[in-house]
Amino acid sequence: MPLISSTEMLQIARKSKYAVGAFNVHTLEMLQAVVEAAAETQSPLIIQTTVGTVKHLGPDYVAAAAKVAANRTGLPIALHLDHCTDFSTIIQCIRAGYTSVMIDASMFAFEENVERTRKVMEVAAAAGVNVEAELGKVGGVEDDIVVDEHEASLADPEECRRFIELTGVNTLAPAIGTAHGIYKGEPNIDFVRIAQIAERVAVPLVLHGGSGIPAEQVRKAVALGMAKMNVATELRIVFSEGIKQVFSAHSGENDPRKYMVPAKEAVKQLAIEKMQLCGCASKAGDMR
Ligand code: 13P
C-alpha cells in the first residue's frame, strides 16, 4: 500500500470518536519503532517530522523509509510535516512524497494566517496532500518555534468557524490549553472551548502537546472531537534514556546495532500505549 493522505483517515477517526496517533521521529530506529507499534496493534499511523528533522535527515530519506513501511505493513500510513512556517520547505516535502503538511502561521494576525494557509491549500489540494493549520498559539518549545506562557493564546471558536470557511483547510489545530514539551504541573485544558469549536467546525481537530497529558484528559478531548494526537517529547526522552542506560551499564559499547535496541523498544512500547489511549488500536481496517 502506498502512503496515503491523512484527510480521510482523520475524518473517519473524528466520526468514530477516536484519534490517530501522530508521532515525531528523528531517526530510522524511531520511525521503525512507531511502525512496529502500529503493526502490532493494527492501528492507522501518522509518522511526522519537524522542519529540524527534515533538515537533519533529508525529506527524501524520510519519505523513502515511510514508503517502505506502508508497503511492507499494508497499514494506512500518512507522512506529515509538523509546524512548518515556510512555504518552500512545504513544497520540498510534498515533492519528496509527504502526504500531509502543517502550515503554522499562528504567529500572524488572523487575515495573514488565512492568506498563508490558502496559498498552501492551493498546491496541496492539487497534489492530494492534507493540510493542517493552527489557530491561537500553542505554548512551549517545538524545534525553533518557542512560544512562552504569556504569548500562548487560546483559539476563538467563532474564528475557527470563519477560518475553515475562508481556507477550506482539511484539519485544524486549535490552541486549547495544551503545550509542547513536558508540563510543569497538569495541563489546563479548556474542554468547554473544545466543545464549542467542535460544534462549529466539522473537520478533524488536532491535539498538540500530547506528551504528559493525563489519560483521562486525553480521552475527554478525543470524545469531544480531537481526531489526531501529536506526541514528540515523550518519545524523544524514552529513546535517549534507553541509549543512556546502555552506556551507563556498558560504557565501552560501540555497536549502534546493540545500543539502539532498548531505545527502539522503549519508543515502540510508548507508541503502543498512546495508540491504545487515543483509541486507534485495531482501527487500521477502517481505512481498507
Ligand atoms: P509534545 O512534544 O508535547 O508531545 O508535542 C508534540 C506536538 O504537538 C508536535 O506538534
Side-chain angles (χ1 to χ4, degrees):
M1 178 148 166
L3 288 173
I4 56 169
S5 152
S6 53
T7 303
E8 196 192 347
M9 181 198 280
L10 295 176
Q11 283 168 348
I12 293 172
R14 168 135 193 217
K15 224 184 294 156
S16 315
K17 293 197 185 306
Y18 62 85
V20 177
F23 301 102
N24 288 61
V25 300
H26 311 288
T27 69
L28 178 61
E29 286 78 9
M30 289 182 84
L31 187 146
Q32 289 172 323
V34 299
V35 171
E36 284 173 22
E40 199 162 306
T41 55
Q42 285 299 294
S43 302
L45 171 67
I46 300 176
I47 299 169
Q48 56 188 28
T49 61
T50 56
V51 175
T53 302
V54 166
K55 287 189 183 135
H56 177 66
L57 292 177
D60 47 355
Y61 272 111
V62 178
K67 281 175 198 165
V68 170
N71 268 328
R72 276 205 194 184
T73 60
L75 291 168
I77 300 180
L79 177 62
H80 177 75
L81 171 64
D82 193 24
H83 285 287
C84 188
T85 54
D86 145 54
F87 189 69
S88 64
T89 305
I90 287 178
I91 300 297
Q92 200 192 356
C93 286
I94 292 176
R95 286 210 180 112
Y98 279 60
T99 55
S100 179
V101 293
M102 176 178 189
I103 167 68
D104 182 356
S106 61
M107 61 292 292
F108 298 108
F110 181 82
E111 292 72 22
E112 178 79 18
N113 193 346
V114 166
E115 223 29 68
R116 287 176 183 246
T117 303
R118 267 190 176 161
K119 189 171 160 200
V120 172
M121 275 304 290
E122 266 171 38
V123 280
V129 165
N130 182 79
V131 180
E132 175 181 327
E134 177 171 321
L135 269 187
K137 280 190 205 126
V138 176
V141 179
E142 184 67 58
D143 258 10
D144 297 339
I145 303 178
V146 181
V147 179
D148 76 26
E149 265 175 68
H150 311 289
E151 258 184 287
S153 62
L154 302 186
D156 174 72
E158 210 28 54
E159 272 194 359
C160 290
R161 188 191 59 72
R162 270 181 50 229
F163 190 82
I164 299 296
E165 211 171 80
L166 293 169
T167 60
V169 79
N170 311 103
T171 41
L172 181 69
I176 43 79
T178 58
H180 295 126
I182 293 297
Y183 298 94
K184 288 188 196 102
E186 284 223 342
N188 191 9
I189 301 181
D190 188 341
F191 292 102
V192 172
R193 190 175 296 263
I194 303 177
Q196 289 168 340
I197 296 169
E199 220 174 71
R200 290 165 173 79
V201 165
V203 301
L205 303 175
V206 182
L207 185 62
H208 277 248
S211 292
I213 304 178
E216 225 17 76
Q217 298 192 17
V218 170
R219 287 192 200 101
K220 202 166 159 188
V222 169
L224 288 170
M226 290 292 178
K228 172 179 181 252
M229 180 170 83
N230 289 1
V231 183
T233 306
E234 272 188 90
L235 292 177
R236 219 159 17 92
I237 291 175
V238 298
F239 188 71
S240 305
E241 285 306 316
I243 293 173
K244 286 183 213 168
Q245 274 166 23
V246 173
F247 284 119
S248 65
H250 311 279
S251 60
E253 183 54 70
N254 56 18
D255 187 339
R257 293 164 303 179
K258 293 196 177 133
Y259 65 71
M260 292 277 198
V261 172
K264 182 180 163 192
E265 185 58 25
V267 170
K268 178 179 169 186
Q269 290 312 323
L270 181 63
I272 289 176
E273 230 175 79
K274 298 291 180 188
M275 286 164 176
Q276 286 163 343
L277 174 61
C278 60
C280 67
S282 82
K283 303 290 188 193
D286 286 6
M287 284 295 302
R288 291 195 182 114

